[in-house]
Every structure is written in structure tokens, then in C-alpha cells.
Amino acid sequence: MKDTLFAIPYWKFTLKDWEEKKKKIHTLLEQYPCLKYKDQNFLTNRRLPLGSAAIFLEECLNLFSESLNEFSNEVKTNLEISKAFATSYDKGHEQILHNHGQALFSAMIYVDFDPTEHSPTVYKQPFNQFDSGNVCFRKLKPKEGDMMIVPSSIEHFSPANNSSKRKTVIGLDLIFAKNLGNELKNNDK
């Protein structure tokens, strides 16, 4: 009899008051812009100085706390944001296969995303297909204003942006709370 040994969950939240949040995100990205580094084929603000990174993280917590708290309640544990960053892809930009394994979960908020022109993040199954040995990839179907949360150890990549429209996402890495002030509350405790 066939049964399932492993199942890998993901969570999808549609952010409330999206148009208002999107304007605030764009204002935030004017203050903490995404830059191009020669060792990466995309734009990011992940290399902000520590003080600026802390402010960006706090602003992201303010913007996304409702959905993040809902997630924290669902997984029944207190979490905190360990990293917050933005990544943008102009035409031809892409990001290679990677993971955020140092965290527990990773959230991705689709800020500037046109599903008719942009490819969503592609996730790699962490084991080969049992019947063929092939590697399996999966694209979720986000829309602008969606927050997707996956286990951080899942490898993923962003295919090349073939559109002249910029694609922008906010990434959040979530870890077990250490009571540093940026925790998300599990209200079930």
C-alpha cells in the first residue's frame, strides 16, 4: 500500500490594504534602494549597513505583522524576523539556485509582479523523483500583494526576467523568537 513519507507545506497570505501597503513599500525602497553588485545578476538592498538594515526590518515588521502573526499562530510557535531585504529584477536579471537554510521559514512578498510578464520563484523538490530519478521543480501562482512562506531550506531561484517591467519582491527570513523586540506572537500559548 502506498503512503506519503514526506509532505512539504507552504503558506499563502493575501495582504490586506495592498494598494496602501504597496505605496509604503515603494517609499521605503526609495530610502533603502536595491543596488546592483558585480557578483550578482539582480538588484538588492540585502547589503545595507547594520543600522539601516535594522530600520528596514522594523518597517517590514510594521507592514506585514498581521499576516506574519497569523502564520505564527498557525504553526503554533513564536517567530521573529532575522533578515528583511528587497530584491528587484530588471530585464535579463535572474537569481541562481539558493536557499535560506540558516532560517526556519522564508517569506516572499510579491510587490511589483505581473503574472502575464514575470515568472514567479521556482522551487526545487529536495529529493529526486522516485520513479525516474529526475529533479522536480515547482512554480507557485502568486499575485501582487501575496506573501508566500516556505521552509527556508527549500532551494529556489528566480528565472531571468524577460520583461521590460521591473519585478520586485521583499524577502523575510523567520527564526525561533529570542525576544529581541521583532517577534511575532503565537496567541495560542
Side-chain angles (χ1 to χ4, degrees), residues 10-17 21 60-81 105 107 145-149 172 174 182-189:
Y10 73 91
W11 293 261
K12 179 179 178 180
F13 298 91
T14 298
L15 300 175
K16 295 177 182 167
D17 303 317
K21 282 187 171 105
C60 286
L61 178 61
N62 292 336
L63 284 166
F64 310 125
S65 62
E66 185 176 351
S67 294
L68 290 170
N69 280 320
E70 185 178 341
F71 172 69
S72 186
N73 286 331
E74 188 167 325
V75 296
K76 298 184 181 351
T77 190
N78 290 346
L79 299 168
E80 69 181 51
I81 301 171
F105 295 102
D146 281 349
M147 174 189 291
M148 311 298 273
I149 302 176
L172 307 172
L174 307 173
N182 54 342
E183 65 268 6
L184 310 165
K185 299 295 184 191
N186 168 17
N187 295 323
D188 292 342
K189 289 186 176 180

Side-chain angles (χ1 to χ4, degrees), residues 4-185:
T4 301
L5 182 60
F6 297 106
I8 302 167
Y10 73 91
W11 293 261
K12 179 179 178 180
F13 298 91
T14 298
L15 300 175
K16 295 177 182 167
D17 303 317
W18 173 242
E19 290 305 318
E20 181 182 326
K21 282 187 171 105
K22 184 176 179 179
K23 287 177 189 173
K24 289 179 181 179
I25 291 167
H26 280 275
T27 300
L28 189 60
L29 292 177
E30 287 174 15
Q31 293 175 284
Y32 305 100
C34 292
L35 304 173
K36 175 78 170 75
Y37 296 93
K38 62 183 174 180
D39 62 332
Q40 298 174 325
N41 191 26
F42 54 89
L43 305 156
T44 188
N45 68 3
R46 192 171 186 134
R47 297 181 184 182
L48 290 171
L50 287 178
S52 297
I55 295 168
F56 187 80
L57 186 150
E58 188 65 33
E59 292 296 327
C60 286
L61 178 61
N62 292 336
L63 284 166
F64 310 125
S65 62
E66 185 176 351
S67 294
L68 290 170
N69 280 320
E70 185 178 341
F71 172 69
S72 186
N73 286 331
E74 188 167 325
V75 296
K76 298 184 181 351
T77 190
N78 290 346
L79 299 168
E80 69 181 51
I81 301 171
S82 62
K83 289 185 183 154
F85 52 91
T87 305
S88 292
Y89 304 89
D90 288 335
K91 188 169 186 163
H93 285 170
E94 62 189 342
Q95 191 165 168
I96 63 171
L97 190 67
H98 67 284
N99 68 39
H100 300 243
Q102 71 281 10
L104 186 60
F105 295 102
S106 293
M108 190 171 307
I109 298 97
Y110 287 81
V111 179
D112 297 312
F113 183 76
D114 181 343
T116 65
E117 296 200 34
H118 297 131
S119 176
T121 303
V122 179
Y123 296 92
K124 179 181 177 259
Q125 182 175 280
F127 46 87
N128 292 347
Q129 294 292 83
F130 74 92
D131 55 349
S132 66
N134 291 333
V135 175
C136 183
F137 293 95
R138 178 158 182 213
K139 289 181 185 179
L140 303 179
K141 295 183 180 180
K143 64 183 185 315
E144 204 171 87
D146 281 349
M147 174 189 291
M148 311 298 273
I149 302 176
V150 301
S152 294
S153 60
I154 301 296
E155 292 183 307
H156 56 282
F157 67 95
S158 184
N161 181 8
N162 295 318
S163 172
S164 57
K165 288 183 185 177
R166 176 175 280 188
K167 173 180 137 181
T168 301
V169 297
I170 299 282
L172 307 172
D173 286 341
L174 307 173
I175 61 173
F176 290 117
K178 297 176 190 169
N179 299 318
L180 297 175
N182 54 342
E183 65 268 6
L184 310 165
K185 299 295 184 191

